[in-house]
Amino acid sequence: MKATEQTMQQLDRFFHKVAEKFPSQCDNAILTDIHVRTNQETGELTAFDDDDQEITRCVVEQWINQKDEDFYDSITLILRRYLKKNHCFVESMGILKPYSVVLENEDKEHIAELFVADDDTVIVGGDIMKGLDEDLNAFFKELMKDTK
């Protein structure tokens, strides 16, 4: 699924509303995660704090009644791209680091980490260890060739 311009505008308003709740000039809030939940039927996108208190919500019209099996994979990519592109304002929120933005389904089940910030280190989505097994196996094979 490719995000429409309207979807990107809705995400922009959504994340700016989250950022408004944690202004950078205030004392840093003690918060470890922002939980972003989405509902495949209603298209609703909701943000919660660690105490399960709602921060904000919106409806992403493109996501209403999505029956795709890869729905969460698709929106994970869309949300990660958005957060990567707009990392400056997300990083500047008045939240005590480290913190992360986590995607969950409507049943509060963890789907993916979208954004992790820890002082000078920022990781935007994805598995940072992806492909490590293959790299290590190739290295080991090469190493074993040299010992024969």
Side-chain angles (χ1 to χ4, degrees), residues 58-75:
C58 77
V59 173
V60 180
E61 297 189 23
Q62 182 182 9
W63 298 350
I64 296 174
N65 291 323
Q66 282 292 323
K67 305 293 185 208
D68 297 341
E69 287 184 25
D70 64 340
F71 172 75
Y72 287 106
D73 293 335
S74 296
I75 66 166

Side-chain angles (χ1 to χ4, degrees), residues 122-136:
V122 176
I123 301 168
V124 180
D127 182 0
I128 61 173
M129 303 300 244
K130 187 175 185 176
L132 183 62
D133 285 340
E134 293 85 12
D135 290 343
L136 288 174

Side-chain angles (χ1 to χ4, degrees), residues 26-84:
C26 292
D27 291 334
N28 287 343
I30 300 174
L31 184 70
T32 58
D33 292 320
I34 297 173
H35 304 267
V36 176
R37 294 187 195 133
T38 188
N39 185 306
Q40 225 171 323
E41 281 183 32
T42 65
E44 194 168 64
L45 186 65
T46 313
F48 295 89
D49 65 15
D50 290 327
D51 297 322
D52 213 27
Q53 299 296 312
E54 185 177 312
I55 299 170
T56 191
R57 72 175 51 225
C58 77
V59 173
V60 180
E61 297 189 23
Q62 182 182 9
W63 298 350
I64 296 174
N65 291 323
Q66 282 292 323
K67 305 293 185 208
D68 297 341
E69 287 184 25
D70 64 340
F71 172 75
Y72 287 106
D73 293 335
S74 296
I75 66 166
T76 296
L77 293 174
I78 291 168
L79 292 168
R80 282 181 178 158
R81 268 189 242 126
Y82 175 83
L83 291 167
K84 183 176 183 178

